[in-house]
């Protein structure tokens, strides 16, 4: 059984998504809905930290919801995302492949939440 969490930081204009363990199709659907809804509350140009360091591969049918979530954040104006990844690459590769055509934004990978925050902060400073 897995767990997910969505949060935002209005001051940083940042979306946070945590995916833990193996999520059911229903959980992935709810997480995608929450991501789309939360990203709609942020200003265009927002960025995202996606902590998937303990995420395990989901049911292939769930990938439609991952793709829908990626499409939703594009429609809401995402500029960049940084994925916190684990040593287990199977779940990460599955997530990367789902809706990769939707990713019209910068994608980086980090080994920790703190590193992801720093990468996005640095990107924002460089963008002015």
């Amino acid at each position: 059984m897995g767990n997910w969490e969505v949060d935002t930081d209005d001051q940083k204009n940042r979306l946070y998504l945590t995916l833990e363990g193996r999520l059911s199709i229903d959980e992935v659907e709810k997480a995608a809905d929450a991501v789309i809804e939360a990203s709609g509350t942020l200003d265009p140009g927002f960025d995202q930290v996606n902590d998937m360091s303990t995420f395990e591969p989901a049911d292939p049918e769930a990938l439609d919801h991952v793709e829908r979530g990626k499409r939703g954040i594009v429609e809401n104006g995402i500029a960049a995302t940084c994925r916190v990844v684990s040593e287990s690459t199977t779940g990460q590769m599955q997530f990367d492949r789902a809706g990769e055509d939707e990713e019209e934004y910068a994608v980086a990978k980090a080994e920790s939440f703190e590193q992801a925050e720093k990468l996005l902060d640095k990107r924002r400073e460089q963008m002015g």
Side-chain angles (χ1 to χ4, degrees):
M1 200 71 187
N3 188 31
W4 60 272
E5 184 177 335
V6 173
D7 200 7
T8 58
D9 182 327
D10 293 338
Q11 275 191 305
K12 286 189 172 185
N13 200 33
R14 188 164 291 161
L15 176 70
Y16 296 93
L17 170 61
T18 303
L19 302 171
E20 300 172 334
R22 186 175 183 85
L23 300 174
S24 69
I25 295 170
D26 187 50
E27 289 171 317
V28 175
E29 180 179 17
K30 288 177 181 171
D33 290 343
V35 162
I36 294 167
E37 184 177 328
S39 66
T41 68
L42 296 169
D43 294 329
F46 70 91
D47 50 35
Q48 173 189 38
V49 173
N50 180 350
D51 185 347
M52 51 190 300
S53 57
T54 64
F55 177 67
E56 296 174 19
D59 186 300
E61 290 179 42
L63 299 182
D64 290 341
H65 296 296
V66 172
E67 184 174 337
R68 186 172 57 81
K70 288 181 178 183
R71 229 182 1 256
I73 61 176
V74 166
E75 290 169 5
N76 287 329
I78 189 169
T81 189
C82 189
R83 295 186 184 129
V84 181
V85 295
S86 68
E87 293 181 21
S88 169
T89 58
T90 308
Q92 172 195 323
M93 287 177 10
Q94 187 184 41
F95 191 91
D96 288 350
R97 273 192 239 118
E100 64 188 338
D101 295 340
E102 303 298 331
E103 293 179 334
E104 302 168 358
Y105 48 89
V107 177
K109 294 187 177 157
E111 294 179 7
S112 70
F113 178 85
E114 293 76 17
Q115 183 185 23
E117 286 270 274
K118 287 178 186 173
L119 285 170
L120 290 172
D121 289 345
K122 185 175 181 180
R123 180 186 183 281
R124 188 168 286 164
E125 288 170 16
Q126 291 173 341
M127 299 298 283

